[in-house]
Amino acid sequence: MNEPPVSIPGPADGAIVPPPLRPGDTVAVVAPCGPVDPERLARGVRALEGLGLKVLTGAHIFDRDRYLAGSDAVRAADLSDAWCDPEVTAVFCARGGYGATRILDLLDWDALRAAGPKTLVGSSDVTALHRAFAVELGLVSLFGPMPASATLGDPTGPEPRTFEHFTAALTGDPSPITGDRVIVPGEVAAPVTGGNLSLLAALCGTPYAMVARGRIVLLEDVGEEPYRIDRMLTQLLRTGSLDGAAGFVLGSWVDCGDPYPVLEELLAPLGVPVIAGLPVGHGSPQSSVFLGALGAIDTKSCSLAYSIRGSSTAGWLRI
């Protein structure tokens, strides 16, 4: 039987932590973003089944409409059906790509709220869903690898370090990871927010725009030249989205050239702790982070710690 959800005390009051997954739980895989490779998905599903999970897939998971995994209506319906299924304890997004922002207005948030807390898993374009689920449902969600992505669904099997950390996160006990670069030293504890930089910039001016005040901000991206990173960060700064941020955790910047000069130029003047080089986002390995959980930056060890169990010392997980 699943454990009941718990609320995070302190600065993250009100954020609901879904129960950890256990062998025998039923989970669903849906495609709210880009089109899915059937063979890669099959391998990713087998990896989840290897954890003892029963895996259901969305009715339209292999639909395709140009660069989308089917029409907006069917993608929204598959996500809603999976979330509202009383047997389902977690919903995995098959992959990123593009499309999540298009379905936010099509979701019945009252119905999703009534279904109770569950775990939403995904990264990249799924950042839009993480933000919407945080605003509408008040949920902590998991920013991590996806079944039809390279790290879980390649022919050689899941990338070992990715899968180990992912599995531990799903069951509520992720193993330690660290970054490799300190941009601004210091220590701070606050809830974690953020995700993919491109999506956070795209959400500016919407009801799901990121609010960084009093929070640690995770940022990462892929295939963006430094000048585009500059443009998107500048947009977040100019719109006030980064006002009052408590600190920054910078993940992977795959195929982004050297992003660090612009990241340091724009973030260091904010005067809060900034660490970088955490394997979170794209690339390999790819670690998992709970968005909405209470976190703590320690620049002496270039690490982020977060708690999904409460405020006691035993509840802190160092990643």
Side-chain angles (χ1 to χ4, degrees):
M1 180 178 295
N2 287 327
E3 298 174 13
V6 295
S7 293
I8 303 173
D13 265 345
I16 301 169
V17 181
L21 297 186
R22 296 289 182 257
D25 283 351
T26 297
V27 302
V29 181
V30 298
C33 309
V36 174
D37 181 315
E39 293 184 358
R40 179 172 278 180
L41 177 64
R43 292 189 291 264
V45 167
R46 286 196 295 270
L48 295 179
E49 290 173 338
L51 300 176
L53 301 173
K54 179 182 178 182
V55 183
L56 308 177
T57 55
H60 302 278
I61 197 165
F62 296 126
D63 282 14
R64 182 165 190 148
D65 179 4
R66 298 165 293 162
Y67 40 78
L68 303 166
S71 68
D72 293 346
V74 300
R75 286 182 289 113
D78 273 8
L79 175 57
S80 295
D81 288 347
W83 195 266
C84 294
D85 184 336
E87 298 300 317
V88 169
T89 58
V91 175
F92 294 76
C93 297
R95 57 156 297 191
Y98 169 72
T101 53
R102 293 175 57 121
I103 69 171
L104 298 181
D105 292 342
L106 300 179
L107 297 173
D108 184 340
W109 293 109
D110 288 336
L112 269 59
R113 191 175 299 111
K118 304 183 182 191
T119 303
L120 174 71
V121 184
S123 56
S124 194
D125 193 66
V126 182
T127 295
L129 293 175
H130 286 298
R131 289 296 311 134
F133 276 56
V135 171
E136 299 285 357
L137 308 182
L139 280 177
V140 170
S141 55
L142 190 60
F143 190 89
M146 297 168 282
S149 66
T151 48
L152 295 186
D154 265 5
T156 55
E159 196 281 319
R161 290 167 294 178
T162 299
F163 196 56
E164 179 182 6
H165 194 266
F166 179 64
T167 302
L170 291 175
T171 57
D173 190 20
S175 57
I177 64 169
T178 60
D180 61 15
R181 182 186 300 236
V182 175
I183 295 177
V184 179
E187 297 182 359
V188 67
V192 180
T193 189
N196 180 264
L197 174 60
S198 296
L199 269 296
L200 295 173
L203 290 169
C204 285
T206 75
Y208 308 116
M210 180 180 65
V211 177
R213 184 168 300 280
R215 290 169 170 80
I216 293 170
V217 179
L218 166 69
L219 297 173
E220 63 82 29
D221 220 315
V222 61
E224 300 289 353
E225 293 293 330
Y227 80 89
R228 295 201 290 264
I229 293 172
D230 185 327
R231 183 188 66 214
M232 291 183 287
L233 268 180
T234 298
Q235 181 181 9
L236 292 177
L237 288 163
R238 294 293 181 268
T239 59
S241 293
L242 299 182
D243 288 357
F248 292 88
V249 174
L250 306 180
S252 60
W253 302 92
V254 176
D255 297 329
C256 291
D258 181 5
Y260 287 109
V262 68
L263 290 169
E264 182 169 353
E265 177 189 10
L266 295 179
L267 296 180
L270 300 181
V272 296
V274 182
I275 60 175
L278 277 74
V280 176
H282 293 80
S284 183
Q286 183 182 349
S287 298
S288 304
V289 172
F290 282 99
L291 298 177
L294 187 63
I297 291 175
D298 177 7
T299 56
K300 292 179 182 177
S301 59
C302 194
S303 66
L304 172 73
Y306 62 82
S307 173
I308 58 172
R309 299 173 185 163
S311 59
S312 66
T313 304
W316 288 96
L317 306 175
R318 188 161 298 279
I319 66 166

